[in-house]
Amino acid sequence: MTRQIGGRTVTDGRALNGSTALDQQGAHSPATTIADVSQIPGIRIAHHTDEENGTGCTVIVCPAGATGAVDVRGGAPATRETDLLRPEETVDVLHAVVLSGGSAYGLAASVGVAEELERRGIGLDVQVGVVPIVSGACLFDLAFANPNVRPTAADGARACALALDNAPTPLPRGNVGAGCGCTVGKLGGPTRAMKSGLGTDVEQAGPLLCGAVAAVNACGNVVDPDTGEVIAGMRSQDGTGFVDECELALSMAARMPLDPGHDGSARPPVRTNTTISCVITNAQLTKAQATKVAQMTADGYAHAIRPTHTTNDGDSVFVMATGEVEVPVDVVGILATRALERAIADGARSAKTSHGLVGAASL
């Protein structure tokens, strides 16, 4: 069966080698086609979007609890409850992941999500009540529109309530949620950057589902992982094409040191970039296995963003595994990587022109 996602034709129910996936008994196992990340069983997702001020947050909730993990590759992360997700730590359940704008201020949105989950009795039972386990990461969008408005605890709580109270519908993409203030291609400064946004993708191999949600606020250019074609990034002087930022950085190195303070006009301000994402899978994983999946999945950033994981990025990847399907860990990692790299491309492709920056969807 084929379906369309982001303009691509995708074949469902096929293993990575092209053969039909097998279930644990060795029989052919058909799986329901999942066309949108919001349809993954056990997961609820919603946005808070402030288009006027250029910021927002996206809340991914698993009310029953998921096995969680994280991989942080960027040099300037703004995160919450990432140490708790390490394999050696004792808490083995994750109730929500919050992707937010607002830089470190945006961590307040996670507090609101935790409070909303507590009001609903969702969380880790600690005898005297519940403690929802909520992890999150923020991206820097303060320089995009209004630096004085950031996602708040009330915004996080509202998005959490929307996720839980409404029937799943296709998740909006582009200039929404954590993608509202995203930009890319910033090595040449803000005048040659482009608008980016939030993207999603779902990949399926038999009963195995791997979905990804990514807010793409990278320093580098975003490319189609299948073709290498630039989707959005640093525009040429005449606005008709793109500049290869990797080659630009190397040419700059031949002329001057790259450390901060040398020709700052040619490079973005420090710590103003980050791609943050969450991979959702129905695989049965331990925390150690989920951590390996997160590590493998982070390669999706390198497949779709050039350059990536720089000192000016705070790239983070969360994993939420709902534990329904037992499959080899490496298969999960491969499929999740494919979902994430295509979600990143979708985030750039779905962005519309906003606050003076051109988006690929508006071209």
Side-chain angles (χ1 to χ4, degrees), residues 153-166:
D155 297 331
R158 190 177 304 111
C160 182
L162 285 173
L164 293 171
D165 291 341
N166 294 285

Side-chain angles (χ1 to χ4, degrees), residues 209-356:
L209 298 170
C210 290
V213 179
V216 187
N217 192 51
C219 173
N221 294 343
V222 177
V223 304
D224 187 310
D226 297 320
T227 66
E229 180 182 0
V230 178
I231 299 169
M234 180 178 169
R235 306 178 77 194
S236 58
Q237 288 280 13
D238 61 8
T240 60
F242 297 99
V243 175
D244 185 324
E245 288 198 327
C246 292
E247 291 301 321
L248 176 61
L250 294 176
S251 67
M252 290 166 58
R255 300 194 306 270
M256 66 188 75
L258 280 177
D259 54 292
H262 294 81
D263 190 20
S265 62
R267 285 171 289 118
V270 297
R271 299 181 178 88
T272 61
N273 316 283
T274 287
T275 297
I276 50 178
S277 57
C278 183
V279 168
I280 308 145
T281 178
N282 63 348
Q284 184 180 114
L285 302 173
T286 66
K287 282 182 74 177
Q289 291 171 331
T291 299
K292 175 50 66 178
V293 169
Q295 292 169 350
M296 292 178 68
T297 303
D299 288 346
Y301 282 33
H303 298 167
I305 303 170
R306 300 173 186 171
T308 193
H309 304 326
T310 73
T311 54
N312 292 325
D313 291 318
D315 304 327
S316 303
V317 182
F318 293 93
V319 169
M320 301 180 79
T322 60
E324 298 170 357
V325 179
E326 186 174 354
V327 289
V329 175
D330 288 343
V331 173
V332 181
I334 293 168
L335 198 64
T337 301
R338 180 178 294 180
L340 180 55
E341 64 190 26
R342 289 175 173 170
I344 292 169
D346 183 56
R349 192 177 281 118
S350 301
K352 299 178 182 178
T353 298
S354 178
H355 292 274

Side-chain angles (χ1 to χ4, degrees), residues 172-229:
R173 296 138 46 233
N175 304 25
V176 294
C180 199
C182 286
T183 53
V184 293
K186 290 171 275 192
L187 195 60
T191 60
R192 295 169 70 181
M194 284 185 67
K195 184 73 180 72
S196 185
L198 180 135
T200 67
D201 185 71
V202 179
E203 299 295 328
Q204 187 167 350
L208 175 64
L209 298 170
C210 290
V213 179
V216 187
N217 192 51
C219 173
N221 294 343
V222 177
V223 304
D224 187 310
D226 297 320
T227 66
E229 180 182 0

Side-chain angles (χ1 to χ4, degrees), residues 42-44 59-68 84-85 91-98 113-114 117 121-125 130-135 160 164 320:
I43 298 294
R44 310 299 292 272
V59 179
I60 303 114
V61 184
C62 182
T67 300
L84 176 144
L85 297 179
V91 175
D92 60 359
V93 65
L94 179 61
H95 298 101
V97 168
V98 181
V113 172
L117 291 175
I122 298 171
L124 186 66
D125 186 356
V130 297
V131 177
I133 306 303
V134 179
S135 294
C160 182
L164 293 171
M320 301 180 79

